[in-house]
Amino acid sequence: MKLITISLFIISLMHMAVDSYAQDSNRKALNITLYQNGFGMVHDKRGLEISQGTSIIDIGNLPRDIISESVFADFDGQIIEQSFNSRETYWPEAIYKHLVDQSIRLVSENGELVEGVLRSYKHGQIWLEDSDGEFIFIQNAHSYRLHSSINPDILSTSPQLTWTIESEEDGLQDVSIYYQVGNMRWSADYNLVLDEDEESMDLHVKATMTNHSGIEYPDARIRLVSGDLNVQPRQQMSRRDVGGAEMMKMNYADVAPETMFEYHVFDLPERITLNDQEQKQITLKRASGIEAHKHYRYQTGPLGQLQRNNNKVDVEFRLANTEEFKLGTPLPAGIVKVYQKADERVEFIGEDQLEHTPVDQDFTISVGQAFDVIVEEKQVRLAELSNRVREEDREITITNQKEQDITVEVELRLNQNEELRSSSIQGKEVEARRYIFDVPVEAESKETLSLQLRRSN
């Protein structure tokens, strides 16, 4: 039996958890595959003594957020039965649970001592029975230091698997243990830097790896899978944050992806240690001198549906994922943050979500709305030509208050029973009932696009 102080005890146990996994002499290799869905796949290769016939083996040093039903193994034998014990006894809830009906001492922040037999504990609220048989209610037990005699054998810092196995071999075997683990993920993060003259851009693609699974993964081979996996909802252990995440940056040369099934995989060239509650970043790709194609876009609706509340014009950059435009590699989905160089500084100008983009596919990054470009829509005529036919004349006036000439792309989308009868500027039908009009507007001037629409019921 031993007297403990709960706050210091928890911290020491967490360090013990990390150290024990890092110093596991049975582990021969550690490979981790991270998915963008919020989980990872671990291949943990260990050397284990296995007896011939039927035997029982305990597998420890596992992450807190292991998905136990995903565990399987490859060795010369078979698992007959597997039991799983989460054993998260180092958290206050679990420690107080073991102390019910035992005498404890609590010391408040100002040194006040409270003693008694613990009768109940729930969500930080406890009932104590003192020596006179009176009950004491404490609203927030977490603000007290706990002193109590407790058997350290009931305390543990990691889950444990117990296998009943059968094997025809006797002796040391290499056992490959596979399992999924929650609260691990990776994301693709993009920084797109526009030159001051707005003629070219530089792209930096980083992979951000996050580990909140409850254990350190030392000296691991890491693979990053990009793609849309079909993953069913699953019950995971709740994540407990034990501190702020530490960000570490690591720079590599471009990491070329490979294909796996219908997905793309990035194999990181060096081994990495993923600490618990930590983020790490590595560079996947860099590209410079990308041609910058800035576009102004405005969308109007079908007959009778004018844009009256939003008179702003969207600003976009349109890029091609080709070698000709300094790219030409599969781009995983992620957030693209766009910056511009200005007076020897770099300023943030917007961000957008990029979907998975294969090679030779165009993509668009929307950064915001133009401040000095205003649109006004007006219905100048609405006529009932018959009880089945209605016609509308519409004017879309674009005001350019900038000092440069611009071209605004106006997109018109019509319903199935509608048609475009005429327009003051020649447009093109890019899809069925979807038209594009390139409207040039000189600096500090206006330009009007006139449309005639017809609906037949």
Side-chain angles (χ1 to χ4, degrees), residues 349-367:
I349 60 174
E351 65 182 16
D352 198 8
Q353 173 71 49
L354 175 69
E355 301 300 327
H356 295 303
T357 305
V359 174
D360 295 330
Q361 179 170 317
D362 297 343
F363 62 99
T364 298
I365 303 299
S366 179
V367 294

Side-chain angles (χ1 to χ4, degrees), residues 132 193 198 244 268 270 296 380:
D132 297 327
V193 183
E198 298 186 1
L268 304 190
E270 299 179 10
Y296 296 93
V380 295

Side-chain angles (χ1 to χ4, degrees), residues 205-206 250-257 266-270 282-286:
V205 186
K206 298 176 295 182
M250 306 176 65
N251 292 321
Y252 292 137
D254 288 357
V255 181
F266 298 86
D267 278 301
L268 304 190
E270 299 179 10
I282 63 99
T283 298
L284 292 183
K285 184 173 182 60
R286 293 177 178 174

Side-chain angles (χ1 to χ4, degrees), residues 190-192 201-205 254 257 285-291 318-331 354 357-363 365:
Y190 297 79
N191 288 333
L192 193 60
M201 317 178 81
D202 296 336
L203 179 66
H204 304 270
V205 186
D254 288 357
K285 184 173 182 60
R286 293 177 178 174
S288 59
I290 302 170
E291 293 183 22
R318 297 180 182 176
L319 305 172
N321 188 14
T322 63
E323 291 185 4
E324 178 184 359
F325 289 94
K326 310 296 180 64
L327 294 174
T329 187
L331 299 176
L354 175 69
T357 305
V359 174
D360 295 330
Q361 179 170 317
D362 297 343
F363 62 99
I365 303 299

Side-chain angles (χ1 to χ4, degrees), residues 399-412:
T399 301
N400 175 20
Q401 297 175 340
K402 299 169 66 66
E403 296 179 353
Q404 301 86 26
D405 298 345
I406 64 171
T407 296
V408 178
E409 178 184 279
V410 177
E411 178 182 351
L412 169 67

Side-chain angles (χ1 to χ4, degrees), residues 253-449:
D254 288 357
V255 181
E258 300 176 355
T259 57
M260 180 190 74
F261 190 60
E262 297 297 323
Y263 316 120
H264 286 283
V265 178
F266 298 86
D267 278 301
L268 304 190
E270 299 179 10
R271 294 183 182 274
I272 294 175
T273 294
L274 287 180
N275 296 311
D276 188 34
Q277 308 301 313
E278 181 182 62
Q279 287 185 338
K280 283 189 177 179
Q281 289 187 326
I282 63 99
T283 298
L284 292 183
K285 184 173 182 60
R286 293 177 178 174
S288 59
I290 302 170
E291 293 183 22
H293 297 284
K294 184 169 69 172
H295 286 257
Y296 296 93
R297 187 177 68 88
Y298 180 80
Q299 183 173 319
T300 187
L303 191 144
Q305 297 183 25
L306 284 71
Q307 300 287 355
R308 301 184 186 278
N309 296 324
N310 181 13
N311 61 351
K312 295 292 186 179
V313 172
D314 295 326
V315 183
E316 302 174 339
F317 288 99
R318 297 180 182 176
L319 305 172
N321 188 14
T322 63
E323 291 185 4
E324 178 184 359
F325 289 94
K326 310 296 180 64
L327 294 174
T329 187
L331 299 176
I335 300 295
V336 181
K337 298 183 183 298
V338 186
Y339 303 85
Q340 183 174 19
K341 295 179 181 178
D343 298 329
E344 299 182 352
R345 295 180 300 177
V346 174
E347 302 290 355
F348 176 69
I349 60 174
E351 65 182 16
D352 198 8
Q353 173 71 49
L354 175 69
E355 301 300 327
H356 295 303
T357 305
V359 174
D360 295 330
Q361 179 170 317
D362 297 343
F363 62 99
T364 298
I365 303 299
S366 179
V367 294
Q369 295 180 321
F371 191 95
D372 295 319
V373 184
I374 305 298
V375 177
E376 180 183 3
E377 290 198 49
K378 182 169 58 176
Q379 187 183 80
V380 295
R381 184 179 74 94
L382 182 62
E384 298 282 349
L385 303 184
S386 70
N387 60 353
R388 298 184 58 189
V389 179
R390 174 180 291 186
E391 200 168 76
E392 176 192 287
D393 290 342
R394 179 184 303 179
E395 289 182 352
I396 301 174
T397 301
I398 302 172
T399 301
N400 175 20
Q401 297 175 340
K402 299 169 66 66
E403 296 179 353
Q404 301 86 26
D405 298 345
I406 64 171
T407 296
V408 178
E409 178 184 279
V410 177
E411 178 182 351
L412 169 67
R413 290 181 179 268
L414 298 178
N415 293 325
Q416 187 172 0
N417 58 344
E418 297 176 346
E419 61 176 316
L420 174 66
R421 298 285 292 172
S422 65
S423 61
S424 60
I425 297 175
Q426 182 66 38
K428 55 183 177 181
E429 188 174 10
V430 294
E431 296 176 1
R433 290 173 294 281
R434 177 173 171 256
Y435 298 86
I436 297 295
F437 304 90
D438 291 326
V439 183
V441 189
E442 295 181 356
E444 299 179 341
S445 65
K446 299 181 179 180
E447 187 65 41
T448 298
L449 170 64

